[in-house]
Amino acid sequence: MGGDPRGGISAGPAAGVVPLAVLADHGEGTVDGADIATVLPSARVGAVEEVTGRRDGDRPYFYDEGDDGDSYGFALDQWVGRECPVLRRDHLTGDEEHAANSFAGFPAVRTALALGLGDGPNRALARLWRWTPGILLPNGIHVYGPHVIRERNDTYEVRRYAPRWTLDGDDGDDSGLFMRHHTAPVTADAPTDAYMS
């Protein structure tokens, strides 16, 4: 999808039309078994019957947890570059809170919570996962998403050999990216927060 995705959202007369880059690439999908909003090609924006999702004022919602569950939508008034944050609306109070920095970060955050990882094993991964579920850096280092981090750490027995550290990525060969847990005490003589081994 080329250009700025904001135009498609603000100009779209149909509730729930959310043509952000990630949705445009994937078109549709599910989270925890529930459908997310479907992106329509711009020529079909007026076809309301073909749109999933709903719009409440300036909040297009793309995911509902179901009966008695919370809703997730975009904060169209809070753009950061080509993305806008995902907000969670409490189904009881209507209060909103920040859930992720981007649509791609939404499933990463949900996966981390579902797997018992909380925000992430350290601050750096928590920030990354709010934007994307892992990343392949230009230097060849793959920083893990929440869907693989536990398996990689279990496979290499990181807890046994380096209990205060987490294997957060690798270079595809023999080196791993290790970062200390955010719960480890920070002292002047503490080892650095990240290193390749």
Side-chain angles (χ1 to χ4, degrees):
M1 178 174 143
D4 191 340
R6 295 179 212 190
I9 291 177
S10 60
V17 178
V18 186
L20 294 177
V22 172
L23 279 176
D25 289 343
H26 299 287
E28 61 185 316
T30 62
V31 175
D32 295 334
D35 290 334
I36 58 171
T38 299
V39 176
L40 299 175
S42 59
R44 296 172 51 201
V45 166
V48 177
E49 66 278 1
E50 298 182 40
V51 178
T52 60
R54 62 183 171 77
R55 189 179 191 117
D56 183 5
D58 65 348
R59 300 281 190 258
Y61 287 90
F62 60 87
Y63 177 68
D64 290 310
E65 292 178 331
D67 294 340
D68 298 325
D70 297 335
S71 300
Y72 294 83
F74 295 104
L76 298 182
D77 56 343
Q78 301 175 26
W79 285 91
V80 177
R82 294 187 60 194
E83 291 286 352
C84 54
V86 173
L87 299 178
R88 180 188 69 81
R89 177 176 277 173
D90 184 281
H91 71 285
L92 296 175
T93 66
D95 292 342
E96 293 179 333
E97 72 176 11
H98 188 87
N101 292 340
S102 70
F103 180 74
F106 169 71
V109 168
R110 297 274 304 182
T111 299
L113 293 172
L115 294 175
L117 298 170
D119 289 335
N122 53 59
R123 288 181 196 100
L125 278 185
R127 283 192 305 268
L128 175 70
W129 291 351
R130 286 187 165 280
W131 286 101
T132 184
I135 191 168
L136 180 61
L137 299 174
N139 62 3
I141 294 174
H142 173 218
V143 181
Y144 304 142
H147 57 291
V148 297
I149 195 165
R150 181 171 283 146
E151 179 270 326
R152 300 290 167 87
N153 278 268
D154 289 348
T155 298
Y156 294 108
E157 300 182 75
V158 174
R159 286 276 187 241
R160 178 177 176 193
Y161 297 108
R164 289 187 167 198
W165 296 81
T166 302
L167 176 62
D168 290 342
D170 65 63
D171 67 354
D173 277 328
D174 296 328
S175 296
L177 173 64
F178 290 86
M179 293 185 187
R180 288 190 313 149
H181 297 290
H182 59 77
T183 57
V186 178
T187 62
D189 59 346
T192 113
D193 286 331
Y195 71 94
M196 288 294 292
S197 169

